[in-house]
Amino acid sequence: MAETIQHVEDMVDNSPVIDVHDTFNYYRQLLADLKAKIDARFELQRDPSTLDLQTYGTYPDGPGGSLEAYAGPEIDWMVHSWIGNPGASFANLHLTAWLGPQVKVPHLGIALLVWPGGWFYLDSVPRTNMVEDADYFDKYYAGLDEEWLELRADREFEYFVSRAGFIRASLSPTAYCYSFERSQRNLEIVSQRAHAHVDRWLRWVDEAEPVPAEERAALARTDETIRRNIAERDPANVMGVRFFGEETTNKLVRALWGGDRQLPRAGAR
């Protein structure tokens, strides 16, 4: 049960500069496959505020990226993105889906990094204080303990402890957050866990009871506040500043939480 505690930039700077396109391309295909499952279930529309972020930077000659954001009647904000320089050791890929206030199912969080070792994050972002709302914990988290502990005991995966206390506070009790060697075996485990994560989340959505109408506005406000705080406090934002400067990074961060959105919020339709 080894642990890793390092800054993102330190992981990159203290490692050899290598081409990591093999893992980058594996990750991109994995997220494309997961996004296809979500697209098949939900009505989604690309938000115009992110059209000019379809490609940015100088990739493949240098750092670059892509950010697509979507919204719909049931999903308030979904982001499919990557940023980095896979020709020089680093890439960070995201697929996150924040539900509207019509249900209280946890939000979907997925992040995949290569820096140049492997790293992945999967979480079900809670929408209530589970210490207070124990029924919510029992419904969405208690049953995941066994499989979470199974990977925690795998010697091929090192549990990653963020140096940022706020990020540690944002993780649910069953969040996956691991560094690993980029072997085929380990990448396949990441893929299997990610597919199971999305399949379970889709099932939760289908089985969810509706939130009473009078509670939805407050839930929507809380959701956006959490989403914004996580986006703005992400320690990996330092890599965006390094690659593209403060102005572009600030625009990317706003896109992650919907600060420039043009489509109405879920529940406002």
Side-chain angles (χ1 to χ4, degrees), residues 3-24:
E3 294 182 341
T4 300
I5 307 179
Q6 293 191 47
H7 290 298
V8 174
E9 62 271 32
D10 291 339
M11 288 286 288
V12 176
D13 291 343
N14 296 331
S15 299
V17 177
I18 60 174
D19 189 307
V20 294
H21 272 93
D22 54 348
T23 303
F24 172 63

Side-chain angles (χ1 to χ4, degrees), residues 7-269:
H7 290 298
V8 174
E9 62 271 32
D10 291 339
M11 288 286 288
V12 176
D13 291 343
N14 296 331
S15 299
V17 177
I18 60 174
D19 189 307
V20 294
H21 272 93
D22 54 348
T23 303
F24 172 63
N25 291 330
Y26 184 93
Y27 282 164
R28 289 188 80 179
Q29 186 59 55
L30 173 57
L31 289 192
D33 293 342
L34 297 174
K35 181 177 178 290
K37 290 184 174 184
I38 297 172
D39 290 342
R41 166 59 180 78
F42 295 98
E43 175 189 336
L44 291 165
Q45 182 180 350
R46 177 78 178 271
D47 193 277
S49 68
T50 64
L51 291 176
D52 63 345
L53 296 175
Q54 183 64 44
T55 58
Y56 59 88
T58 60
Y59 179 79
D61 299 321
S66 174
L67 193 152
E68 305 167 1
Y70 301 83
E74 295 179 85
I75 289 184
D76 187 51
W77 199 245
M78 184 175 84
V79 173
H80 180 218
S81 67
W82 74 268
I83 183 173
N85 188 1
S89 304
F90 178 76
N92 183 2
L93 301 86
H94 284 250
L95 180 62
T96 58
W98 294 75
L99 289 160
Q102 72 284 345
V103 295
K104 212 170 183 179
V105 171
H107 304 300
L108 180 77
I110 302 173
L112 308 171
L113 271 74
V114 54
W115 53 353
W119 183 94
F120 84 113
Y121 155 88
L122 303 175
D123 203 4
S124 305
V125 182
R127 302 170 76 183
T128 186
N129 180 353
M130 292 186 289
V131 178
E132 177 185 14
D133 188 352
D135 289 342
Y136 192 88
F137 173 83
D138 291 341
K139 185 172 185 177
Y140 294 117
Y141 300 91
L144 304 181
D145 269 351
E146 184 174 349
E147 63 183 69
W148 184 87
L149 290 167
E150 178 186 33
L151 194 63
R152 188 74 170 86
D154 190 320
R155 294 181 180 274
E156 294 287 321
F157 288 83
E158 291 188 359
Y159 192 71
F160 182 85
V161 181
S162 176
R163 297 178 66 93
F166 183 86
I167 297 302
R168 297 196 303 272
S170 74
L171 300 178
S172 85
T174 57
Y176 291 107
C177 194
Y178 287 95
S179 301
F180 59 92
E181 292 295 325
R182 294 182 293 121
S183 67
Q184 187 62 32
R185 179 257 189 192
N186 292 342
L187 288 170
E188 288 177 359
I189 288 176
V190 172
S191 178
Q192 292 163 3
R193 297 276 172 155
H195 274 281
H197 184 58
V198 171
D199 292 344
R200 178 173 53 242
W201 179 75
L202 291 171
R203 185 174 67 252
W204 285 348
V205 173
D206 287 340
E207 296 173 351
E209 297 180 2
V211 171
E214 64 273 16
E215 299 178 10
R216 296 183 183 184
L219 181 58
R221 288 194 297 271
T222 298
D223 287 341
E224 185 176 64
T225 299
I226 292 171
R227 183 166 72 234
R228 179 173 184 173
N229 285 340
I230 291 174
E232 292 183 342
R233 292 170 177 260
D234 187 343
N237 291 344
V238 68
M239 297 303 295
V241 175
R242 175 183 294 190
F243 289 148
F244 309 112
E246 292 277 359
E247 182 177 353
T248 297
T249 300
N250 289 339
K251 183 174 183 178
L252 293 169
V253 170
R254 289 197 307 273
L256 290 175
W257 67 268
D260 298 324
R261 72 182 300 158
Q262 297 180 30
L263 293 176
R265 297 198 61 189
R269 290 164 169 79

